[in-house]
Amino acid sequence: MVALVPIATLKDVTVKRRGKTILGPISHGLESAGFTIVLGPNGAGKTTLLNALHGVERLSDGSVTWTSPDHASYKDQAFVFQRPIMLRRTVRQNLAYPLQLLGHNKNEIETEVMDWVGRVGLNGVLDHFAPRLSGGEKQKLALARALIQKPKVLFLDEPCANLDGRSTREIETVLSEVNTAGTSVIMTTHDLGQARRLASDVVFLLNGQIHETGLAPHVFEAPKTPEAKAFFQGDIVE
Ligand SMILES: Nc1ncnc2c1ncn2[C@@H]1O[C@H](COP(=O)(O)OP(=O)(O)OP(=O)(O)O)[C@@H](O)[C@H]1O
Ligand SMILES: [Mg+2]
């Protein structure tokens, strides 16, 4: 049986920008069964929530506390942005760099790099200049670069936006594998099919608030609010 486990406590979490509240105030015990999908319309606050959880959003009020010390430190968390930023170096060097920073030796780095290029299907472009990769290849590289650090928590902000079906499937396979191997995943997507395929649990955001949350089968099959129901049906929710 899939069960929800408390992962973080949000206390009065509020993000204000230019006098406008864009997130919160949220006081909520965030629970996950391993693969959390954050859903909601444009501007609902999904990216802001992920940034706040990762500790890179300036909070106007409140705090985020991680339940497990294993998950809490910044170095145990990795973040894949919607528009990946590449080092102006080769794919190989982009992948090696985080491990060099962690002080791994050359042989370990070579083994890990070859393992991850294979897992994300970038063998053919190993020595290409990363900034010139296609959008999908960049996303795969960003994912591999995040995972090569073996994070305990992986945040992804719409990692498959603009990807074709095949690239999306390849990324989903890797995400499912690392999740099964024990990495907690917190991911936003606008692809409801993808949300249904991957989510163990769902956070539905609306107007900067957690509107509905719970195990994916419950939330998808029996949404409690008309807004969530409409959104999961693909209707426009404002
Ligand atoms: N620095 C900022 N200054 C002013 N407003 C901001 C700032 N950053 C974000 N916002 C606003 O906060 C709201 C929430 O933004 P956020 O990026 O979290 O939404 P989102 O749910 O990720 O949307 P999308 O689906 O488009 O990615 C939006 O209305 C956005 O315009
Ligand atoms: Mg966003």
Side-chain angles (χ1 to χ4, degrees):
M1 237 298 282
V2 184
L4 289 164
V5 175
I7 55 164
T9 304
L10 291 89
K11 191 167 170 292
D12 299 327
V13 168
T14 310
V15 177
K16 289 184 189 165
R17 294 290 176 265
R18 296 183 200 162
K20 190 177 159 243
T21 300
I22 61 175
L23 187 74
I26 298 177
S27 288
H28 184 78
L30 195 63
E31 298 189 314
S32 174
F35 205 125
T36 302
I37 293 276
V38 179
L39 293 171
N42 291 134
K46 302 180 295 296
T47 298
T48 311
L49 175 64
L50 259 57
N51 286 339
L53 288 168
H54 187 41
V56 295
E57 188 77 54
R58 180 170 48 83
L59 302 184
S60 310
D61 195 9
S63 60
V64 173
T65 316
W66 288 83
T67 309
S68 159
D70 278 358
H71 292 165
S73 82
Y74 187 76
K75 74 171 176 42
D76 288 323
Q77 302 183 357
F79 203 117
V80 177
F81 300 96
Q82 188 175 344
R83 282 184 215 87
I85 302 149
M86 304 288 110
L87 296 179
R88 298 183 57 77
R89 298 180 191 176
T90 66
V91 168
R92 187 197 293 273
Q93 288 165 332
N94 266 271
L95 285 173
Y97 186 65
L99 298 182
Q100 286 162 352
L101 289 184
L102 292 169
H104 290 237
N105 73 38
K106 246 181 155 182
N107 289 342
E108 279 169 6
I109 293 175
E110 176 68 11
T111 307
E112 287 290 320
V113 167
M114 294 318 290
D115 179 32
W116 280 102
V117 282
R119 288 181 72 174
V120 298
L122 289 180
N123 313 59
V125 293
L126 185 58
D127 290 305
H128 288 208
F129 186 55
R132 282 204 210 104
L133 296 175
S134 75
E137 288 166 343
K138 279 184 188 154
Q139 279 295 15
K140 289 179 195 167
L141 175 55
L143 179 63
R145 201 175 49 181
L147 288 172
I148 207 165
Q149 304 171 58
K150 300 198 168 49
K152 306 270 175 34
V153 184
L154 176 67
F155 295 98
L156 304 124
D157 197 2
E158 297 184 42
C160 298
N162 307 318
L163 297 194
D164 65 15
R166 183 172 165 193
S167 296
T168 299
R169 195 180 60 217
E170 286 168 349
I171 285 187
E172 288 185 8
T173 302
V174 173
L175 291 177
S176 297
E177 284 168 5
V178 296
N179 182 235
T180 305
T183 299
S184 296
V185 183
I186 303 178
M187 170 175 146
T188 72
T189 180
H190 279 283
D191 178 344
L192 288 169
Q194 177 169 66
R196 286 174 190 270
R197 285 192 295 278
L198 294 177
S200 60
D201 51 275
V202 174
V203 172
F204 177 59
L205 276 183
L206 202 56
N207 300 322
Q209 293 287 342
I210 297 179
H211 194 76
E212 194 157 335
T213 183
L215 285 169
H218 300 175
V219 175
F220 285 136
E221 300 325 318
K224 292 192 199 85
T225 62
E227 291 85 359
K229 189 172 177 201
F231 188 84
F232 302 149
Q233 281 173 353
D235 293 345
I236 295 165
V237 175
E238 283 162 305

